[in-house]
PDB file of all heavy atoms in Angstrom:
ATOM      1  N   ARG A1677      -0.884  18.302   7.091  1.00  0.00           N
ATOM      2  CA  ARG A1677       0.313  17.882   6.343  1.00  0.00           C
ATOM      3  C   ARG A1677      -0.036  17.674   4.880  1.00  0.00           C
ATOM      4  O   ARG A1677      -1.188  17.442   4.540  1.00  0.00           O
ATOM      5  CB  ARG A1677       0.851  16.554   6.885  1.00  0.00           C
ATOM      6  CG  ARG A1677       1.425  16.657   8.257  1.00  0.00           C
ATOM      7  CD  ARG A1677       1.875  15.288   8.751  1.00  0.00           C
ATOM      8  NE  ARG A1677       2.381  15.401  10.104  1.00  0.00           N
ATOM      9  CZ  ARG A1677       1.603  15.441  11.184  1.00  0.00           C
ATOM     10  NH1 ARG A1677       0.294  15.346  11.068  1.00  0.00           N
ATOM     11  NH2 ARG A1677       2.138  15.563  12.379  1.00  0.00           N
ATOM     12  N   SER A1678       0.985  17.711   4.004  1.00  0.00           N
ATOM     13  CA  SER A1678       0.710  17.263   2.637  1.00  0.00           C
ATOM     14  C   SER A1678       1.824  16.354   2.149  1.00  0.00           C
ATOM     15  O   SER A1678       2.950  16.371   2.667  1.00  0.00           O
ATOM     16  CB  SER A1678       0.476  18.423   1.671  1.00  0.00           C
ATOM     17  OG  SER A1678       1.288  19.483   2.002  1.00  0.00           O
ATOM     18  N   HIS A1679       1.450  15.573   1.161  1.00  0.00           N
ATOM     19  CA  HIS A1679       2.378  14.589   0.612  1.00  0.00           C
ATOM     20  C   HIS A1679       3.394  15.270  -0.306  1.00  0.00           C
ATOM     21  O   HIS A1679       3.017  16.081  -1.151  1.00  0.00           O
ATOM     22  CB  HIS A1679       1.585  13.548  -0.178  1.00  0.00           C
ATOM     23  CG  HIS A1679       2.442  12.640  -0.981  1.00  0.00           C
ATOM     24  ND1 HIS A1679       3.223  11.664  -0.405  1.00  0.00           N
ATOM     25  CD2 HIS A1679       2.677  12.569  -2.319  1.00  0.00           C
ATOM     26  CE1 HIS A1679       3.890  11.021  -1.357  1.00  0.00           C
ATOM     27  NE2 HIS A1679       3.573  11.546  -2.523  1.00  0.00           N
ATOM     28  N   ILE A1680       4.664  14.918  -0.152  1.00  0.00           N
ATOM     29  CA  ILE A1680       5.690  15.453  -1.058  1.00  0.00           C
ATOM     30  C   ILE A1680       6.193  14.307  -1.936  1.00  0.00           C
ATOM     31  O   ILE A1680       6.712  13.310  -1.415  1.00  0.00           O
ATOM     32  CB  ILE A1680       6.886  16.035  -0.272  1.00  0.00           C
ATOM     33  CG1 ILE A1680       6.404  17.045   0.772  1.00  0.00           C
ATOM     34  CG2 ILE A1680       7.901  16.663  -1.225  1.00  0.00           C
ATOM     35  CD1 ILE A1680       7.514  17.554   1.698  1.00  0.00           C
ATOM     36  N   PRO A1681       6.055  14.423  -3.264  1.00  0.00           N
ATOM     37  CA  PRO A1681       6.588  13.352  -4.132  1.00  0.00           C
ATOM     38  C   PRO A1681       8.110  13.506  -4.286  1.00  0.00           C
ATOM     39  O   PRO A1681       8.580  14.596  -4.609  1.00  0.00           O
ATOM     40  CB  PRO A1681       5.890  13.588  -5.478  1.00  0.00           C
ATOM     41  CG  PRO A1681       5.003  14.775  -5.302  1.00  0.00           C
ATOM     42  CD  PRO A1681       5.365  15.461  -4.031  1.00  0.00           C
ATOM     43  N   ILE A1682       8.825  12.414  -4.064  1.00  0.00           N
ATOM     44  CA  ILE A1682      10.300  12.475  -4.146  1.00  0.00           C
ATOM     45  C   ILE A1682      10.754  12.785  -5.573  1.00  0.00           C
ATOM     46  O   ILE A1682      11.845  13.321  -5.795  1.00  0.00           O
ATOM     47  CB  ILE A1682      10.927  11.160  -3.613  1.00  0.00           C
ATOM     48  CG1 ILE A1682      12.406  11.386  -3.271  1.00  0.00           C
ATOM     49  CG2 ILE A1682      10.754  10.008  -4.583  1.00  0.00           C
ATOM     50  CD1 ILE A1682      13.038  10.260  -2.458  1.00  0.00           C
ATOM     51  N   SER A1683       9.899  12.481  -6.535  1.00  0.00           N
ATOM     52  CA  SER A1683      10.245  12.726  -7.941  1.00  0.00           C
ATOM     53  C   SER A1683      10.540  14.201  -8.214  1.00  0.00           C
ATOM     54  O   SER A1683      11.303  14.536  -9.127  1.00  0.00           O
ATOM     55  CB  SER A1683       9.070  12.264  -8.813  1.00  0.00           C
ATOM     56  OG  SER A1683       9.284  12.588 -10.135  1.00  0.00           O
ATOM     57  N   GLY A1684       9.951  15.089  -7.389  1.00  0.00           N
ATOM     58  CA  GLY A1684      10.151  16.528  -7.601  1.00  0.00           C
ATOM     59  C   GLY A1684      11.464  17.042  -7.039  1.00  0.00           C
ATOM     60  O   GLY A1684      11.814  18.213  -7.250  1.00  0.00           O
ATOM     61  N   LEU A1685      12.235  16.209  -6.338  1.00  0.00           N
ATOM     62  CA  LEU A1685      13.502  16.671  -5.754  1.00  0.00           C
ATOM     63  C   LEU A1685      14.602  16.653  -6.810  1.00  0.00           C
ATOM     64  O   LEU A1685      14.552  15.843  -7.752  1.00  0.00           O
ATOM     65  CB  LEU A1685      13.894  15.769  -4.562  1.00  0.00           C
ATOM     66  CG  LEU A1685      13.356  16.193  -3.190  1.00  0.00           C
ATOM     67  CD1 LEU A1685      11.847  16.305  -3.153  1.00  0.00           C
ATOM     68  CD2 LEU A1685      13.836  15.214  -2.116  1.00  0.00           C
ATOM     69  N   PRO A1686      15.620  17.532  -6.641  1.00  0.00           N
ATOM     70  CA  PRO A1686      16.686  17.598  -7.654  1.00  0.00           C
ATOM     71  C   PRO A1686      17.306  16.233  -7.933  1.00  0.00           C
ATOM     72  O   PRO A1686      17.624  15.488  -7.008  1.00  0.00           O
ATOM     73  CB  PRO A1686      17.715  18.545  -7.015  1.00  0.00           C
ATOM     74  CG  PRO A1686      16.947  19.324  -6.003  1.00  0.00           C
ATOM     75  CD  PRO A1686      15.804  18.465  -5.542  1.00  0.00           C
ATOM     76  N   GLY A1687      17.443  15.910  -9.187  1.00  0.00           N
ATOM     77  CA  GLY A1687      18.114  14.674  -9.606  1.00  0.00           C
ATOM     78  C   GLY A1687      17.242  13.439  -9.511  1.00  0.00           C
ATOM     79  O   GLY A1687      17.688  12.320  -9.801  1.00  0.00           O
ATOM     80  N   MET A1688      15.975  13.593  -9.088  1.00  0.00           N
ATOM     81  CA  MET A1688      15.170  12.406  -8.811  1.00  0.00           C
ATOM     82  C   MET A1688      14.177  12.035  -9.906  1.00  0.00           C
ATOM     83  O   MET A1688      13.716  10.891  -9.962  1.00  0.00           O
ATOM     84  CB  MET A1688      14.416  12.591  -7.486  1.00  0.00           C
ATOM     85  CG  MET A1688      15.310  12.570  -6.269  1.00  0.00           C
ATOM     86  SD  MET A1688      16.369  11.113  -6.202  1.00  0.00           S
ATOM     87  CE  MET A1688      15.175   9.823  -5.948  1.00  0.00           C
ATOM     88  N   GLU A1689      13.820  12.995 -10.781  1.00  0.00           N
ATOM     89  CA  GLU A1689      12.780  12.681 -11.764  1.00  0.00           C
ATOM     90  C   GLU A1689      13.180  11.504 -12.656  1.00  0.00           C
ATOM     91  O   GLU A1689      12.376  10.644 -12.981  1.00  0.00           O
ATOM     92  CB  GLU A1689      12.474  13.926 -12.605  1.00  0.00           C
ATOM     93  CG  GLU A1689      11.245  13.730 -13.450  1.00  0.00           C
ATOM     94  CD  GLU A1689      10.872  14.972 -14.257  1.00  0.00           C
ATOM     95  OE1 GLU A1689      11.089  16.099 -13.772  1.00  0.00           O
ATOM     96  OE2 GLU A1689      10.388  14.787 -15.391  1.00  0.00           O
ATOM     97  N   SER A1690      14.453  11.454 -12.999  1.00  0.00           N
ATOM     98  CA  SER A1690      14.895  10.411 -13.938  1.00  0.00           C
ATOM     99  C   SER A1690      15.057   9.048 -13.270  1.00  0.00           C
ATOM    100  O   SER A1690      15.217   8.043 -13.947  1.00  0.00           O
ATOM    101  CB  SER A1690      16.225  10.817 -14.571  1.00  0.00           C
ATOM    102  OG  SER A1690      17.183  10.953 -13.538  1.00  0.00           O
ATOM    103  N   ARG A1691      15.064   9.013 -11.911  1.00  0.00           N
ATOM    104  CA  ARG A1691      15.308   7.716 -11.253  1.00  0.00           C
ATOM    105  C   ARG A1691      14.151   7.280 -10.344  1.00  0.00           C
ATOM    106  O   ARG A1691      14.295   6.329  -9.582  1.00  0.00           O
ATOM    107  CB  ARG A1691      16.629   7.743 -10.482  1.00  0.00           C
ATOM    108  CG  ARG A1691      16.718   8.758  -9.367  1.00  0.00           C
ATOM    109  CD  ARG A1691      18.038   8.674  -8.611  1.00  0.00           C
ATOM    110  NE  ARG A1691      19.186   9.086  -9.398  1.00  0.00           N
ATOM    111  CZ  ARG A1691      20.112   8.241  -9.860  1.00  0.00           C
ATOM    112  NH1 ARG A1691      20.038   6.961  -9.595  1.00  0.00           N
ATOM    113  NH2 ARG A1691      21.124   8.698 -10.560  1.00  0.00           N
ATOM    114  N   THR A1692      13.014   7.994 -10.406  1.00  0.00           N
ATOM    115  CA  THR A1692      11.890   7.646  -9.527  1.00  0.00           C
ATOM    116  C   THR A1692      10.745   7.025 -10.318  1.00  0.00           C
ATOM    117  O   THR A1692      10.389   7.521 -11.393  1.00  0.00           O
ATOM    118  CB  THR A1692      11.326   8.915  -8.833  1.00  0.00           C
ATOM    119  OG1 THR A1692      12.372   9.521  -8.087  1.00  0.00           O
ATOM    120  CG2 THR A1692      10.168   8.566  -7.899  1.00  0.00           C
ATOM    121  N   ILE A1693      10.173   5.961  -9.774  1.00  0.00           N
ATOM    122  CA  ILE A1693       8.886   5.458 -10.280  1.00  0.00           C
ATOM    123  C   ILE A1693       7.874   5.678  -9.163  1.00  0.00           C
ATOM    124  O   ILE A1693       8.024   5.137  -8.055  1.00  0.00           O
ATOM    125  CB  ILE A1693       8.939   3.965 -10.645  1.00  0.00           C
ATOM    126  CG1 ILE A1693      10.077   3.700 -11.648  1.00  0.00           C
ATOM    127  CG2 ILE A1693       7.588   3.503 -11.218  1.00  0.00           C
ATOM    128  CD1 ILE A1693      10.263   2.236 -12.028  1.00  0.00           C
ATOM    129  N   GLY A1694       6.875   6.523  -9.416  1.00  0.00           N
ATOM    130  CA  GLY A1694       5.850   6.811  -8.415  1.00  0.00           C
ATOM    131  C   GLY A1694       4.621   5.958  -8.691  1.00  0.00           C
ATOM    132  O   GLY A1694       4.207   5.803  -9.839  1.00  0.00           O
TER     133      GLY A1694
END
Side-chain angles (χ1 to χ4, degrees):
R1677 292 177 182 81
S1678 36
H1679 170 72
I1680 307 174
I1682 198 167
S1683 174
L1685 271 57
M1688 290 307 293
E1689 190 177 326
S1690 61
R1691 61 177 68 252
T1692 301
I1693 305 177

